[in-house]
Every structure is written in structure tokens, then in C-alpha cells.
Amino acid sequence: MTLKPKLYGLVGFPIKHSLSPHMHNAAFSALKINAKYKLFELQAEQLENFLDNLKKNNILGFNVTIPYKEKILPYLNIKSFGVREIGAANTVVVTRDGKLHGFNTDFLGFSRHLKVLKVKPRKAAIIGAGGAARAVCFALGKSKVEEICIYDIDAYKSLGLVSQFKDIFNQIKFSAVARVEELNLQDKDLLVNASPVGMRPDDPCLVESRLIHKDLFVYDLIYNPAETKLIAQAKLAGAHYSNGLGMLLYQGILAFEHLTGKKAPVEIMMAALEKGVKKL
Ligand code: NAP
């Protein structure tokens, strides 16, 4: 008798080009786990029905991406550290008694990658104040960062992010600015692009090359393309840099471990991601 595979997957919309199935399915094969990781591309009105039928469909857990990372919160019975503070969950484990346990592995993925890169920022600048920026802010807040300055095209969003975190991390000096130049990059050692600008070939580079210096670590959360215009400028300026593939990997590793209870095969998942990204 062959047992039906356990099901996991990614809930979001649109998600056709997601790399998550590549890394999770490669890990299942490597560890000989009888499971499949699928894409659950749902319209907003389908979310509740999906959640009601998890047990019936043998779904043991799932990742969550845009636009449901915030919308999933009211359905969670248990929220792990960071979920409430960030206001988003990206991993949900269905417990044995059918409860939904939410995690935010985005912030931990970012922290883990900075640690791997041996980047220990003191003064950080962030472009974009959406969901990813909130995870980055929380990760930086948990580290020894002293200052975080945020720019978003929408001033209400950057101000909102500052007011969300300034009481949680009252030792950090937060500020929201109205222009990239006001991020004061000459005084910063980390710049994070948490905006989607850079994904399209005709996107501008939001930061003028003269503002990038060699003591600035430039972290672009975008991983497709692997080299955005911002990363290309960082290279030219002799700065250290990274794209977002490492954050994607480490959030996936932590998610895999929550979902399966097993240690993730890091090298295998990285190789699967690199292979997947080449096909995009
Ligand atoms: P989001 O919630 O839409 O946030 C993006 C923010 O950037 C929004 O507030 C947006 O403002 C702002 N923005 C847009 N254009 C801008 C500009 N020209 N200057 C300054 N700010 C601008 O998206 P997200 O989920 O945070 O994702 C942001 C990026 O991070 C995406 O590229 C995503 O793929 C990437 N990401 C990577 C990982 C990873 O693991 N590597 C994880 C999560 C996200 P408006 O809403 O007003 O446009």
C-alpha cells in the first residue's frame, strides 16, 4: 500500500513564478519525506474555504505570501514571536488538533543571512516601508542597530512604520524621510532596498551612485534579477552587497523546519533555488 503524500504549499496571488516549490520539493526528495509542496493560488474569497478544508485535503502546513501575509492573522490560533509585532505571518503549521500556528520566518531569514554574511550594522537606511521592510526593521531592532532611517514614496507608510516600531525598540533612533538623499547614506553602514523598484528592466536606480560608499553594505531584497541596478552601482563603488536570494533561502529553511520538524538540507535547498532562479 502506498501512503498518500503529505501536502504543503504556498498561499498567495499571483505566485506562478515562486521558487518555494523548487527548494521545498528538493528537500523532501533529499530527506526521503513522502510529501509535496504545491502552489495554492487563491483569490481573496477562496481563502476561508481553503482554511476550512485543510484537514480534509491532508494539508499539514503552508507558507503565505502577498497579499495574505497580513490577512491570515485573524485565522491564527497561535502566533509565534514576531508575528504580532510585525503584523504578518509567512508560515502556518496545522497542529495535530487542527489549530493554526503562525510564524514569521522573513525577519529570521533576514537576520540569519546578515549573520552568515558577517554584517553587523549600526546605522541602517531602508527604502520602502511595506511588509518586507517591517520584517527587516524587526530583525534590525533585535540586533544591536542604533539607528534606522526609512524612505518610502508614500510618506504615510514610512511614518507608520516608525510609529509601529519606535516603542518596541525604544533604544533605536528611528526617522522617516521624504527623499533618498535625506537617508544620509554617508553616515550609514547598511542600505536595504525593500521596495520593488529594480525588478523591471526599465526601473530606475533609486540611489545615485555618488551616495554609495565602500563602508556601506547594500542589501537588495530583490533576487530576480540577481543583479539590480542598485547592486551594480554598489559593485562599482567598491561596496559590499547582496541580493535577496539568501533571505529567501533562510526564511525557507526555517519554514521547512517548522513545517516538517526536521533539519533542513541547506545546501540542497540553495542549489534548488539557484537552479530555479536561472529558469525565471
Ligand atoms: P510592499 O508591501 O508592496 O512594499 C513595498 C513598498 O515600497 C511600498 O510601501 C511601496 O509604496 C514602496 N515603493 C514603491 N515604489 C517606491 C519608490 N519608488 N520609492 C520608495 N518606495 C517605493 O512589498 P513587500 O512585500 O514589502 O516587498 C518589497 C520587495 O521585497 C519586493 O521586491 C519583494 O519581492 C521583495 N521581498 C523579498 C523577500 C526575500 O526573501 N528576498 C521577501 C519579501 C519581499 P506603494 O505601496 O505606495 O507603491
Side-chain angles (χ1 to χ4, degrees):
M1 189 182 77
T2 46
L3 287 173
K4 265 173 66 178
K6 294 166 185 166
L7 280 190
Y8 300 93
L10 176 67
V11 172
F13 189 94
I15 48 174
K16 281 197 179 59
H17 300 294
S18 168
L19 296 173
S20 293
H22 294 262
M23 66 174 157
H24 289 286
N25 285 323
F28 291 147
S29 297
L31 300 185
K32 299 193 170 42
I33 298 173
N34 183 23
K36 277 209 170 90
Y37 189 100
K38 298 172 68 159
L39 292 178
F40 302 117
E41 191 165 71
L42 305 180
Q43 302 281 353
E45 59 275 16
Q46 296 174 298
L47 181 65
E48 206 151 300
N49 186 47
F50 171 83
L51 298 174
D52 285 343
N53 288 293
L54 289 168
K55 206 176 165 134
K56 191 176 132 200
N57 291 324
N58 200 24
I59 297 170
L60 303 192
F62 52 94
N63 287 121
V64 187
T65 189
I66 287 176
Y68 303 123
K69 284 187 189 183
E70 293 85 13
K71 292 195 177 88
I72 195 74
L73 293 196
Y75 300 99
L76 299 177
N77 306 103
I78 312 160
K79 296 185 183 93
S80 265
F81 179 65
V83 169
R84 210 181 301 273
E85 294 85 345
I86 296 167
N90 73 326
T91 303
V92 179
V93 173
V94 184
T95 64
R96 276 179 202 278
D97 53 354
K99 294 208 162 54
L100 299 185
H101 187 166
F103 300 85
N104 188 306
T105 70
D106 279 335
F107 95 84
L108 290 166
F110 182 75
S111 295
R112 179 82 69 95
H113 193 212
L114 282 193
K115 206 169 168 188
V116 169
L117 294 166
K118 297 192 170 54
V119 177
K120 293 178 186 157
R122 284 177 44 247
K123 296 185 177 189
I126 304 175
I127 299 178
R134 294 207 306 274
V136 165
C137 248
F138 193 69
L140 293 174
K142 298 305 297 170
S143 73
K144 294 244 165 23
V145 83
E146 294 160 12
E147 210 177 304
I148 299 179
C149 185
I150 300 153
Y151 162 73
D152 191 285
I153 195 162
D154 179 343
Y156 285 104
K157 283 200 175 167
S158 33
L159 288 167
L161 201 145
V162 168
S163 72
Q164 178 178 351
F165 288 110
K166 72 177 183 352
D167 295 331
I168 305 179
F169 301 115
N170 53 20
Q171 80 284 12
I172 297 175
K173 187 181 156 211
F174 282 97
S175 54
V177 297
R179 293 184 318 129
V180 170
E181 290 71 17
E182 291 170 31
L183 286 170
N184 207 6
L185 292 181
Q186 66 275 17
D187 179 44
K188 302 291 183 296
D189 51 14
L190 175 69
L191 167 65
V192 180
N193 177 33
S195 85
V197 182
M199 294 175 90
R200 297 161 188 241
D202 54 352
D203 275 349
C205 182
L206 293 177
V207 186
E208 281 181 49
S209 54
R210 66 180 172 86
L211 299 176
I212 300 178
H213 55 88
K214 63 176 178 38
D215 296 324
L216 186 69
F217 192 100
V218 177
Y219 196 116
D220 199 330
L221 296 195
I222 295 170
Y223 49 83
N224 180 33
E227 185 173 313
T228 57
K229 288 176 186 158
L230 179 62
I231 295 272
Q233 285 200 358
K235 259 185 184 176
L236 272 177
H240 292 281
Y241 56 87
S242 172
N243 68 21
L245 203 64
M247 175 176 173
L248 185 72
L249 170 72
Y250 289 107
Q251 69 73 29
I253 281 166
L254 294 160
F256 182 89
E257 294 180 348
H258 286 309
L259 292 170
T260 64
K262 302 209 184 313
K263 193 151 175 39
V266 180
E267 301 299 324
I268 299 230
M269 290 172 80
M270 184 66 197
L273 264 189
E274 282 171 345
K275 202 169 153 194
V277 88
K278 279 191 190 130
K279 288 188 191 155
L280 286 175

